[in-house]
mmCIF file of all heavy atoms in Angstrom:
data_model
loop_
_atom_site.group_PDB
_atom_site.id
_atom_site.type_symbol
_atom_site.label_atom_id
_atom_site.label_comp_id
_atom_site.label_asym_id
_atom_site.label_seq_id
_atom_site.Cartn_x
_atom_site.Cartn_y
_atom_site.Cartn_z
ATOM 1 N N PHE A 584 15.430 -7.042 12.660
ATOM 2 C CA PHE A 584 16.417 -6.019 12.331
ATOM 3 C C PHE A 584 15.846 -4.606 12.284
ATOM 4 O O PHE A 584 16.563 -3.659 11.939
ATOM 5 C CB PHE A 584 17.070 -6.328 10.979
ATOM 6 C CG PHE A 584 17.751 -7.667 10.938
ATOM 7 C CD1 PHE A 584 17.256 -8.687 10.143
ATOM 8 C CD2 PHE A 584 18.880 -7.911 11.707
ATOM 9 C CE1 PHE A 584 17.882 -9.923 10.097
ATOM 10 C CE2 PHE A 584 19.511 -9.147 11.673
ATOM 11 C CZ PHE A 584 19.012 -10.157 10.866
ATOM 12 N N GLY A 585 14.566 -4.439 12.608
ATOM 13 C CA GLY A 585 13.918 -3.132 12.498
ATOM 14 C C GLY A 585 14.573 -2.059 13.336
ATOM 15 O O GLY A 585 14.817 -0.947 12.867
ATOM 16 N N GLY A 586 14.878 -2.378 14.583
ATOM 17 C CA GLY A 586 15.515 -1.395 15.465
ATOM 18 C C GLY A 586 16.904 -1.015 14.989
ATOM 19 O O GLY A 586 17.281 0.166 15.001
ATOM 20 N N VAL A 587 17.662 -2.008 14.561
ATOM 21 C CA VAL A 587 19.014 -1.756 14.044
ATOM 22 C C VAL A 587 18.926 -0.893 12.790
ATOM 23 O O VAL A 587 19.674 0.076 12.634
ATOM 24 C CB VAL A 587 19.740 -3.085 13.741
ATOM 25 C CG1 VAL A 587 21.078 -2.836 13.071
ATOM 26 C CG2 VAL A 587 19.904 -3.907 15.008
ATOM 27 N N TRP A 588 17.997 -1.239 11.901
ATOM 28 C CA TRP A 588 17.827 -0.466 10.665
ATOM 29 C C TRP A 588 17.466 0.985 10.980
ATOM 30 O O TRP A 588 18.037 1.917 10.388
ATOM 31 C CB TRP A 588 16.752 -1.107 9.783
ATOM 32 C CG TRP A 588 16.397 -0.259 8.603
ATOM 33 C CD1 TRP A 588 17.103 -0.133 7.444
ATOM 34 C CD2 TRP A 588 15.271 0.609 8.489
ATOM 35 N NE1 TRP A 588 16.480 0.757 6.605
ATOM 36 C CE2 TRP A 588 15.350 1.232 7.229
ATOM 37 C CE3 TRP A 588 14.206 0.921 9.320
ATOM 38 C CZ2 TRP A 588 14.401 2.143 6.790
ATOM 39 C CZ3 TRP A 588 13.256 1.820 8.877
ATOM 40 C CH2 TRP A 588 13.364 2.429 7.628
ATOM 41 N N MET A 589 16.521 1.197 11.898
ATOM 42 C CA MET A 589 16.102 2.558 12.242
ATOM 43 C C MET A 589 17.276 3.376 12.780
ATOM 44 O O MET A 589 17.435 4.545 12.437
ATOM 45 C CB MET A 589 14.957 2.528 13.252
ATOM 46 C CG MET A 589 13.655 2.034 12.639
ATOM 47 S SD MET A 589 12.305 1.966 13.815
ATOM 48 C CE MET A 589 11.865 3.695 13.858
ATOM 49 N N ARG A 590 18.109 2.749 13.608
ATOM 50 C CA ARG A 590 19.265 3.453 14.162
ATOM 51 C C ARG A 590 20.282 3.772 13.067
ATOM 52 O O ARG A 590 20.750 4.903 12.952
ATOM 53 C CB ARG A 590 19.906 2.611 15.269
ATOM 54 C CG ARG A 590 21.117 3.276 15.921
ATOM 55 C CD ARG A 590 21.695 2.446 17.062
ATOM 56 N NE ARG A 590 21.887 1.035 16.775
ATOM 57 C CZ ARG A 590 22.912 0.533 16.075
ATOM 58 N NH1 ARG A 590 23.826 1.341 15.565
ATOM 59 N NH2 ARG A 590 23.019 -0.767 15.870
ATOM 60 N N LEU A 591 20.609 2.786 12.249
ATOM 61 C CA LEU A 591 21.618 2.987 11.198
ATOM 62 C C LEU A 591 21.143 3.962 10.121
ATOM 63 O O LEU A 591 21.931 4.750 9.603
ATOM 64 C CB LEU A 591 21.984 1.649 10.553
ATOM 65 C CG LEU A 591 22.755 0.671 11.432
ATOM 66 C CD1 LEU A 591 22.849 -0.688 10.750
ATOM 67 C CD2 LEU A 591 24.148 1.209 11.759
ATOM 68 N N ALA A 592 19.851 3.907 9.786
ATOM 69 C CA ALA A 592 19.300 4.785 8.750
ATOM 70 C C ALA A 592 18.882 6.141 9.311
ATOM 71 O O ALA A 592 18.445 7.011 8.566
ATOM 72 C CB ALA A 592 18.113 4.111 8.065
ATOM 73 N N ARG A 593 18.999 6.274 10.619
ATOM 74 C CA ARG A 593 18.622 7.515 11.316
ATOM 75 C C ARG A 593 17.154 7.871 11.076
ATOM 76 O O ARG A 593 16.813 9.021 10.791
ATOM 77 C CB ARG A 593 19.543 8.659 10.920
ATOM 78 C CG ARG A 593 20.987 8.425 11.322
ATOM 79 C CD ARG A 593 21.862 9.612 10.959
ATOM 80 N NE ARG A 593 23.246 9.328 11.276
ATOM 81 C CZ ARG A 593 24.155 8.895 10.407
ATOM 82 N NH1 ARG A 593 23.809 8.698 9.159
ATOM 83 N NH2 ARG A 593 25.392 8.662 10.771
ATOM 84 N N VAL A 594 16.303 6.850 11.199
ATOM 85 C CA VAL A 594 14.867 7.033 11.064
ATOM 86 C C VAL A 594 14.303 7.216 12.463
ATOM 87 O O VAL A 594 14.499 6.347 13.322
ATOM 88 C CB VAL A 594 14.204 5.813 10.380
ATOM 89 C CG1 VAL A 594 12.696 5.928 10.367
ATOM 90 C CG2 VAL A 594 14.749 5.640 8.971
ATOM 91 N N PRO A 595 13.617 8.318 12.714
ATOM 92 C CA PRO A 595 13.050 8.513 14.055
ATOM 93 C C PRO A 595 11.972 7.475 14.351
ATOM 94 O O PRO A 595 11.182 7.134 13.475
ATOM 95 C CB PRO A 595 12.462 9.926 14.017
ATOM 96 C CG PRO A 595 12.350 10.279 12.575
ATOM 97 C CD PRO A 595 13.323 9.433 11.823
ATOM 98 N N SER A 596 11.954 6.975 15.567
ATOM 99 C CA SER A 596 10.992 5.933 15.920
ATOM 100 C C SER A 596 9.568 6.463 15.956
ATOM 101 O O SER A 596 8.618 5.709 15.800
ATOM 102 C CB SER A 596 11.354 5.305 17.267
ATOM 103 O OG SER A 596 11.372 6.284 18.272
ATOM 104 N N GLU A 597 9.394 7.744 16.139
ATOM 105 C CA GLU A 597 8.064 8.353 16.189
ATOM 106 C C GLU A 597 7.891 9.321 15.024
ATOM 107 O O GLU A 597 7.664 10.501 15.212
ATOM 108 C CB GLU A 597 7.872 9.085 17.525
ATOM 109 C CG GLU A 597 7.970 8.202 18.746
ATOM 110 C CD GLU A 597 6.923 7.120 18.800
ATOM 111 O OE1 GLU A 597 5.795 7.357 18.328
ATOM 112 O OE2 GLU A 597 7.229 6.032 19.313
ATOM 113 N N GLN A 598 8.019 8.825 13.799
ATOM 114 C CA GLN A 598 7.930 9.732 12.658
ATOM 115 C C GLN A 598 6.494 10.056 12.270
ATOM 116 O O GLN A 598 6.244 10.990 11.541
ATOM 117 C CB GLN A 598 8.710 9.204 11.464
ATOM 118 C CG GLN A 598 8.151 7.965 10.815
ATOM 119 C CD GLN A 598 8.998 7.522 9.644
ATOM 120 O OE1 GLN A 598 10.123 7.953 9.472
ATOM 121 N NE2 GLN A 598 8.448 6.670 8.826
ATOM 122 N N GLY A 599 5.537 9.288 12.770
ATOM 123 C CA GLY A 599 4.128 9.576 12.503
ATOM 124 C C GLY A 599 3.750 9.377 11.048
ATOM 125 O O GLY A 599 4.560 9.020 10.211
ATOM 126 N N GLY A 600 2.499 9.621 10.752
ATOM 127 C CA GLY A 600 2.023 9.500 9.378
ATOM 128 C C GLY A 600 1.701 8.065 9.011
ATOM 129 O O GLY A 600 1.999 7.119 9.719
ATOM 130 N N SER A 601 1.090 7.931 7.869
ATOM 131 C CA SER A 601 0.675 6.637 7.371
ATOM 132 C C SER A 601 1.800 5.974 6.585
ATOM 133 O O SER A 601 2.552 6.643 5.870
ATOM 134 C CB SER A 601 -0.552 6.811 6.463
ATOM 135 O OG SER A 601 -0.869 5.605 5.833
ATOM 136 N N ILE A 602 1.889 4.664 6.710
ATOM 137 C CA ILE A 602 2.864 3.932 5.905
ATOM 138 C C ILE A 602 2.214 3.327 4.663
ATOM 139 O O ILE A 602 2.853 2.592 3.929
ATOM 140 C CB ILE A 602 3.571 2.833 6.732
ATOM 141 C CG1 ILE A 602 2.576 1.772 7.209
ATOM 142 C CG2 ILE A 602 4.343 3.423 7.885
ATOM 143 C CD1 ILE A 602 3.227 0.515 7.719
ATOM 144 N N ALA A 603 0.956 3.675 4.424
ATOM 145 C CA ALA A 603 0.239 3.123 3.267
ATOM 146 C C ALA A 603 0.945 3.481 1.961
ATOM 147 O O ALA A 603 1.110 2.613 1.095
ATOM 148 C CB ALA A 603 -1.204 3.615 3.250
ATOM 149 N N GLY A 604 1.342 4.725 1.818
ATOM 150 C CA GLY A 604 2.016 5.153 0.586
ATOM 151 C C GLY A 604 3.283 4.371 0.310
ATOM 152 O O GLY A 604 3.435 3.786 -0.779
ATOM 153 N N PRO A 605 4.214 4.321 1.274
ATOM 154 C CA PRO A 605 5.425 3.535 1.050
ATOM 155 C C PRO A 605 5.151 2.049 0.799
ATOM 156 O O PRO A 605 5.848 1.423 0.007
ATOM 157 C CB PRO A 605 6.226 3.734 2.344
ATOM 158 C CG PRO A 605 5.766 5.049 2.870
ATOM 159 C CD PRO A 605 4.310 5.125 2.496
ATOM 160 N N LEU A 606 4.131 1.494 1.450
ATOM 161 C CA LEU A 606 3.809 0.084 1.216
ATOM 162 C C LEU A 606 3.281 -0.145 -0.192
ATOM 163 O O LEU A 606 3.597 -1.162 -0.827
ATOM 164 C CB LEU A 606 2.798 -0.417 2.250
ATOM 165 C CG LEU A 606 3.355 -0.705 3.640
ATOM 166 C CD1 LEU A 606 2.230 -1.087 4.601
ATOM 167 C CD2 LEU A 606 4.414 -1.787 3.598
ATOM 168 N N ILE A 607 2.489 0.778 -0.700
ATOM 169 C CA ILE A 607 1.985 0.659 -2.074
ATOM 170 C C ILE A 607 3.137 0.754 -3.072
ATOM 171 O O ILE A 607 3.231 -0.051 -3.999
ATOM 172 C CB ILE A 607 0.900 1.726 -2.357
ATOM 173 C CG1 ILE A 607 -0.361 1.416 -1.542
ATOM 174 C CG2 ILE A 607 0.583 1.810 -3.847
ATOM 175 C CD1 ILE A 607 -1.392 2.525 -1.530
ATOM 176 N N VAL A 608 4.026 1.719 -2.855
ATOM 177 C CA VAL A 608 5.201 1.863 -3.726
ATOM 178 C C VAL A 608 6.045 0.589 -3.673
ATOM 179 O O VAL A 608 6.487 0.078 -4.705
ATOM 180 C CB VAL A 608 6.034 3.098 -3.333
ATOM 181 C CG1 VAL A 608 7.372 3.108 -4.033
ATOM 182 C CG2 VAL A 608 5.257 4.374 -3.622
ATOM 183 N N SER A 609 6.243 0.069 -2.472
ATOM 184 C CA SER A 609 7.026 -1.154 -2.307
ATOM 185 C C SER A 609 6.371 -2.335 -3.014
ATOM 186 O O SER A 609 7.053 -3.130 -3.673
ATOM 187 C CB SER A 609 7.201 -1.455 -0.816
ATOM 188 O OG SER A 609 7.936 -2.636 -0.634
ATOM 189 N N ALA A 610 5.064 -2.465 -2.901
ATOM 190 C CA ALA A 610 4.358 -3.567 -3.552
ATOM 191 C C ALA A 610 4.477 -3.481 -5.072
ATOM 192 O O ALA A 610 4.701 -4.498 -5.740
ATOM 193 C CB ALA A 610 2.892 -3.586 -3.129
ATOM 194 N N ILE A 611 4.367 -2.286 -5.611
ATOM 195 C CA ILE A 611 4.497 -2.108 -7.070
ATOM 196 C C ILE A 611 5.916 -2.436 -7.521
ATOM 197 O O ILE A 611 6.118 -3.170 -8.498
ATOM 198 C CB ILE A 611 4.085 -0.676 -7.485
ATOM 199 C CG1 ILE A 611 2.585 -0.468 -7.261
ATOM 200 C CG2 ILE A 611 4.470 -0.398 -8.937
ATOM 201 C CD1 ILE A 611 2.120 0.970 -7.369
ATOM 202 N N ALA A 612 6.909 -1.919 -6.797
ATOM 203 C CA ALA A 612 8.308 -2.190 -7.143
ATOM 204 C C ALA A 612 8.618 -3.681 -7.026
ATOM 205 O O ALA A 612 9.328 -4.252 -7.870
ATOM 206 C CB ALA A 612 9.236 -1.374 -6.248
ATOM 207 N N THR A 613 8.075 -4.313 -6.006
ATOM 208 C CA THR A 613 8.306 -5.746 -5.806
ATOM 209 C C THR A 613 7.645 -6.558 -6.913
ATOM 210 O O THR A 613 8.226 -7.526 -7.417
ATOM 211 C CB THR A 613 7.789 -6.180 -4.421
ATOM 212 O OG1 THR A 613 8.461 -5.389 -3.422
ATOM 213 C CG2 THR A 613 8.041 -7.641 -4.155
ATOM 214 N N PHE A 614 6.447 -6.157 -7.326
ATOM 215 C CA PHE A 614 5.774 -6.835 -8.438
ATOM 216 C C PHE A 614 6.621 -6.727 -9.708
ATOM 217 O O PHE A 614 6.797 -7.721 -10.432
ATOM 218 C CB PHE A 614 4.389 -6.233 -8.667
ATOM 219 C CG PHE A 614 3.677 -6.810 -9.847
ATOM 220 C CD1 PHE A 614 2.966 -7.993 -9.724
ATOM 221 C CD2 PHE A 614 3.724 -6.181 -11.090
ATOM 222 C CE1 PHE A 614 2.301 -8.549 -10.824
ATOM 223 C CE2 PHE A 614 3.070 -6.725 -12.183
ATOM 224 C CZ PHE A 614 2.359 -7.911 -12.054
ATOM 225 N N ILE A 615 7.158 -5.550 -9.981
ATOM 226 C CA ILE A 615 8.005 -5.359 -11.166
ATOM 227 C C ILE A 615 9.242 -6.246 -11.081
ATOM 228 O O ILE A 615 9.626 -6.892 -12.068
ATOM 229 C CB ILE A 615 8.378 -3.874 -11.341
ATOM 230 C CG1 ILE A 615 7.128 -3.056 -11.694
ATOM 231 C CG2 ILE A 615 9.469 -3.696 -12.394
ATOM 232 C CD1 ILE A 615 7.324 -1.552 -11.596
ATOM 233 N N THR A 616 9.860 -6.305 -9.913
ATOM 234 C CA THR A 616 11.042 -7.148 -9.725
ATOM 235 C C THR A 616 10.694 -8.611 -9.959
ATOM 236 O O THR A 616 11.441 -9.333 -10.642
ATOM 237 C CB THR A 616 11.629 -6.951 -8.314
ATOM 238 O OG1 THR A 616 11.976 -5.582 -8.137
ATOM 239 C CG2 THR A 616 12.853 -7.822 -8.094
ATOM 240 N N ALA A 617 9.572 -9.063 -9.409
ATOM 241 C CA ALA A 617 9.163 -10.454 -9.600
ATOM 242 C C ALA A 617 8.877 -10.739 -11.075
ATOM 243 O O ALA A 617 9.228 -11.805 -11.591
ATOM 244 C CB ALA A 617 7.938 -10.766 -8.732
ATOM 245 N N TRP A 618 8.268 -9.788 -11.752
ATOM 246 C CA TRP A 618 7.958 -9.942 -13.183
ATOM 247 C C TRP A 618 9.252 -10.081 -13.998
ATOM 248 O O TRP A 618 9.379 -10.969 -14.845
ATOM 249 C CB TRP A 618 7.146 -8.745 -13.657
ATOM 250 C CG TRP A 618 6.669 -8.862 -15.073
ATOM 251 C CD1 TRP A 618 7.343 -8.516 -16.201
ATOM 252 C CD2 TRP A 618 5.415 -9.376 -15.506
ATOM 253 N NE1 TRP A 618 6.582 -8.785 -17.307
ATOM 254 C CE2 TRP A 618 5.392 -9.314 -16.908
ATOM 255 C CE3 TRP A 618 4.299 -9.878 -14.837
ATOM 256 C CZ2 TRP A 618 4.305 -9.737 -17.647
ATOM 257 C CZ3 TRP A 618 3.219 -10.294 -15.580
ATOM 258 C CH2 TRP A 618 3.232 -10.230 -16.968
ATOM 259 N N VAL A 619 10.211 -9.216 -13.713
ATOM 260 C CA VAL A 619 11.493 -9.257 -14.431
ATOM 261 C C VAL A 619 12.235 -10.557 -14.114
ATOM 262 O O VAL A 619 12.819 -11.187 -15.006
ATOM 263 C CB VAL A 619 12.352 -8.016 -14.093
ATOM 264 C CG1 VAL A 619 13.774 -8.167 -14.612
ATOM 265 C CG2 VAL A 619 11.702 -6.756 -14.652
ATOM 266 N N LEU A 620 12.200 -10.967 -12.857
ATOM 267 C CA LEU A 620 12.850 -12.232 -12.482
ATOM 268 C C LEU A 620 12.197 -13.397 -13.210
ATOM 269 O O LEU A 620 12.897 -14.272 -13.736
ATOM 270 C CB LEU A 620 12.797 -12.438 -10.972
ATOM 271 C CG LEU A 620 13.354 -13.766 -10.467
ATOM 272 C CD1 LEU A 620 14.809 -13.959 -10.897
ATOM 273 C CD2 LEU A 620 13.222 -13.853 -8.954
ATOM 274 N N ALA A 621 10.879 -13.428 -13.270
ATOM 275 C CA ALA A 621 10.180 -14.523 -13.970
ATOM 276 C C ALA A 621 10.546 -14.550 -15.451
ATOM 277 O O ALA A 621 10.802 -15.621 -16.013
ATOM 278 C CB ALA A 621 8.673 -14.376 -13.788
ATOM 279 N N GLY A 622 10.598 -13.381 -16.075
ATOM 280 C CA GLY A 622 10.982 -13.320 -17.487
ATOM 281 C C GLY A 622 12.424 -13.737 -17.703
ATOM 282 O O GLY A 622 12.744 -14.488 -18.636
ATOM 283 N N SER A 623 13.305 -13.278 -16.828
ATOM 284 C CA SER A 623 14.727 -13.640 -16.933
ATOM 285 C C SER A 623 14.928 -15.130 -16.686
ATOM 286 O O SER A 623 15.749 -15.774 -17.355
ATOM 287 C CB SER A 623 15.543 -12.834 -15.924
ATOM 288 O OG SER A 623 15.425 -11.458 -16.184
ATOM 289 N N ALA A 624 14.174 -15.682 -15.744
ATOM 290 C CA ALA A 624 14.278 -17.115 -15.462
ATOM 291 C C ALA A 624 13.804 -17.940 -16.657
ATOM 292 O O ALA A 624 14.398 -18.971 -16.982
ATOM 293 C CB ALA A 624 13.460 -17.457 -14.215
#
């Protein structure tokens, strides 16, 4: 779904730059979500 997402979100295919920052933010947010889910479960 990457191509569809890029078109719908209007993300340029050649935006350049590192994706390390967004991946780190995503990993932290995902860890928090998993932690909350485990506690809620």
Side-chain angles (χ1 to χ4, degrees):
F584 301 112
V587 174
W588 172 79
M589 289 179 79
R590 181 177 47 79
L591 291 171
R593 297 182 184 97
V594 174
S596 59
E597 299 298 327
Q598 68 180 15
S601 172
I602 63 166
L606 284 175
I607 291 169
V608 169
S609 179
I611 293 168
T613 302
F614 176 84
I615 293 168
T616 301
W618 185 274
V619 169
L620 176 57
S623 299

